[in-house]
Amino acid sequence: MMDVIVVGGGPTGLMLACELRLAQVDAVVLEKLPEPTGQSRGRGLHARSVELMDQRGLLDRFLAVSEKFQVGGFFGGIMKPWPAGLDTAHPYGLTTPQPVTERLLDERALELGAEIRRGCEVVGLSQDAAGVSVELADGTHLRSRYLVGCDGGRSVVRKLAGIAFPGEPATVETLLGDMEVTEEPAVIAAVVEEVRKTQLRFGAIPDVDGNEGVFRIVVPADGVAEDRTSAPALDEFKQQLRAFAGTDFGVHSPRWLSRFGDATRQAERYRVGRVLLAGDAAHIHPPTGGQGLNLGVQDAFNLGWKLAAEVNGWAPEGLLDSYHAERHPVGAAVLDNTRAQITLLGTDAGATALRTLLSKLMDFEEVNRYVTGMITAVDVRYDCGEGRELLGRRMRDVSLKQGRLYELLRGGRGLLLDQTGRLSVEGWADRVDHVVDVVGADAELDVPAVLLRPDGHVVWAGDDQQDLHGRLPEWFGAPVG
């Protein structure tokens, strides 16, 4: 029997496989497609996702193939300068096309020993008290202790597990695709600038990989298609471009074409027995703010160490259920902010007036910082009990006398950062690292010691050994010996 089957080989599933393998859990990824599509729906990583990559030693790989960007308060088409004082040592995002993200995570998952099987379509599953049985389209049957559906908004796993997916259907639809153009870039830029004065769901962006003459085209569709699984035709792009811009830019030779709507739905439960959901399988929403890929990767980062703890036998009671308890509200908040952004992107007088008002409000530094923290997910805080304000928040990277904090999280284990040298994690040393070091002069940490989960969130702060030993079992199970 396998430990964990991950259904879906996109960024969420691959990130989860990496996290499971860090804890020596067998992970098999089943991907329906025989080869990567090359489609780049997700265009980059926000600050919190950049932090995750740094915590796992992957950031240099992403920096080598990405450009940094700083767009503060990018909300509903409103762009403001990056706010000062955002709580992160990585105050930027990365323009990383989704295929590149998938390639880097695929390579890392394989390095760690994950098995990735392409061309494997799941058509059936059932579960019992001991595990999950899976049927593939070719008649193969597999069995694992747990299964995680990371198979997108039309998740087969979610449907087979009988998990409700309430929400609202699409009311507007947008065409999206990468294609070549014959028009001059300067002319395209001028036309886009003019059209976006009244229609913010319109754009023509040069290819991020630098392919000359290739643009990403975004244009409102003519209504909502009855069959949204079918890709639009190039002629539909041309028709809509002429309708909104008076020109089709001479588009031709499409690389890929797609459509997306503003449907907003969230799974009622992220876990049913031994079946769990992550990424778009658990939530869908409009792509405004570029949060979808990031939300899924962050789901995986929260789930991975908890599921590994369950498989490895040391998870305290309720740890795996905390995945739903923590991530469902985060997903719901993203759904709400994308609903708000779709309203702001409207063309009616009310939406225009609301966008003007919010733009003025975002000139206030505190408002800009709040909106940016929400979009980039650096403000996410989990319920980790009563105590200091730091509890439940992820620690930003800080310099230490012997390096950086995030360098100490590479192994995916818990961490006690002890500035006193008087504390101990005896009994938990197999799952919690104890580092005696002090925060550098260029950083601040107003507590003597902090206990971090493998995902970098603080679950204890102080200097009392007895208090620490009372908190360790809540997150890291019973002591050994």
Side-chain angles (χ1 to χ4, degrees):
M1 180 187 293
M2 304 171 183
D3 286 338
V4 179
I5 289 176
V6 178
V7 181
T12 300
L14 293 170
M15 188 73 202
L16 179 60
C18 290
E19 289 298 287
L20 293 171
R21 286 303 303 148
L22 277 179
Q24 303 303 309
V25 170
D26 292 334
V28 177
V29 179
L30 304 180
E31 168 55 50
K32 179 174 67 174
L33 298 176
E35 298 292 339
T37 66
Q39 294 188 9
S40 185
R41 289 173 175 255
R43 298 275 282 185
L45 303 181
H46 282 312
R48 178 53 184 151
S49 296
V50 172
E51 290 183 340
L52 306 190
M53 300 310 168
D54 192 12
Q55 288 175 233
R56 294 300 184 258
L58 293 172
L59 183 54
D60 285 346
R61 303 187 192 193
F62 279 85
L63 289 173
V65 294
S66 309
E67 295 292 332
K68 294 181 180 180
F69 68 85
Q70 284 190 329
V71 180
F74 179 60
F75 191 82
I78 302 170
M79 299 177 67
K80 298 292 180 179
W82 191 270
L86 199 65
D87 182 31
T88 178
H90 297 285
Y92 58 85
L94 293 177
T95 54
T96 314
Q98 184 169 330
V100 176
T101 296
E102 291 181 2
R103 174 175 61 80
L104 294 176
L105 292 177
D106 185 288
E107 290 171 356
R108 182 55 175 160
L110 292 174
E111 289 172 6
L112 292 169
E115 183 180 353
I116 300 174
R117 303 183 186 180
R118 293 193 170 273
C120 293
E121 181 181 1
V122 173
V123 296
L125 70 81
S126 61
Q127 63 172 312
D128 53 39
V132 183
S133 298
V134 175
E135 180 183 357
L136 304 183
D138 64 1
T140 302
H141 289 79
L142 305 173
R143 188 159 170 81
S144 62
R145 297 173 66 181
Y146 289 90
L147 180 143
V148 185
C150 304
D151 52 338
R154 298 183 178 91
S155 172
V156 170
V157 170
R158 186 185 65 240
K159 295 171 184 176
L160 292 173
I163 300 174
F165 201 43
E168 305 91 43
T171 58
V172 296
E173 190 168 273
T174 305
L175 306 180
L176 173 70
D178 288 346
M179 59 201 75
E180 295 184 35
V181 301
T182 58
E183 186 58 86
E184 291 295 322
V187 174
I188 294 175
V191 171
V192 170
E193 182 179 7
E194 185 63 27
V195 175
R196 283 182 61 83
K197 291 178 180 178
T198 56
Q199 177 53 262
L200 291 171
R201 291 192 296 120
F202 183 93
I205 308 163
D207 182 68
V208 295
D209 290 330
N211 293 310
E212 188 174 352
V214 176
F215 275 68
R216 167 157 295 188
I217 303 297
V218 183
V219 61
D222 183 16
V224 178
E226 290 186 13
D227 181 9
R228 296 192 59 251
T229 63
S230 62
L234 182 62
D235 283 345
E236 188 175 352
F237 276 82
K238 292 181 177 181
Q239 174 184 318
Q240 292 305 103
L241 284 169
R242 295 189 195 108
F244 284 92
T247 174
D248 62 14
F249 301 136
V251 295
H252 65 96
S253 305
R255 306 295 174 85
W256 61 272
L257 305 175
S258 184
R259 65 177 84 241
F260 65 86
D262 63 338
T264 304
R265 298 184 181 276
Q266 185 175 28
E268 283 189 343
R269 294 173 289 172
Y270 284 14
R271 179 192 179 192
V272 176
R274 292 177 174 269
V275 176
L276 301 102
L277 302 176
D280 289 353
H283 39 68
I284 59 170
H285 54 84
T288 45
Q291 300 167 89
L293 183 152
N294 291 271
L295 182 61
V297 167
Q298 292 158 27
D299 283 346
F301 206 66
N302 182 286
L303 174 60
W305 71 276
K306 296 174 181 179
L307 184 54
E310 192 73 29
V311 172
N312 288 329
W314 60 259
E317 183 178 358
L319 180 66
L320 192 53
D321 285 329
S322 75
Y323 166 62
H324 170 90
E326 292 180 349
R327 294 304 295 175
H328 194 276
V330 172
V334 170
L335 266 60
D336 279 346
N337 86 51
T338 55
R339 287 185 179 103
Q341 291 187 72
I342 286 295
T343 298
L344 288 168
L345 292 174
T347 57
D348 60 277
T352 301
L354 186 60
R355 193 164 56 247
T356 300
L357 173 61
L358 185 58
S359 180
K360 293 177 179 178
L361 290 174
M362 286 169 59
D363 286 333
F364 291 97
E365 190 76 15
E366 186 175 351
V367 177
N368 190 9
R369 186 164 53 250
Y370 174 84
V371 172
T372 305
M374 174 177 63
I375 294 294
T376 61
V378 299
D379 66 349
V380 169
R381 183 183 187 184
Y382 301 134
D383 183 4
C384 293
E386 299 294 327
R388 300 174 187 265
E389 198 275 337
L390 189 62
L391 283 182
R393 298 192 180 278
R394 93 281 178 271
M395 274 280 290
R396 62 178 293 164
D397 193 23
V398 295
S399 62
L400 306 171
K401 295 297 184 182
Q402 303 176 53
R404 295 189 296 117
L405 175 65
Y406 281 8
E407 293 173 337
L408 304 176
L409 295 171
R410 301 281 162 84
R413 292 159 51 87
L415 173 69
L416 174 65
L417 176 58
D418 178 9
Q419 298 190 99
T420 73
R422 300 191 303 270
L423 300 173
S424 167
V425 292
E426 184 179 356
W428 290 272
D430 62 324
R431 63 205 82 151
V432 179
D433 294 325
H434 180 199
V435 175
V436 178
D437 203 343
V438 294
V439 173
D442 61 336
E444 294 183 4
L445 182 62
D446 61 355
V447 290
V450 289
L451 177 64
L452 306 182
R453 310 188 315 189
D455 59 2
H457 283 258
V458 179
V459 292
W460 177 85
D463 62 358
D464 184 273
Q465 181 68 58
Q466 184 175 357
D467 186 38
L468 171 62
H469 275 207
R471 182 56 63 92
L472 278 163
E474 295 180 27
W475 295 100
F476 298 101
V480 175

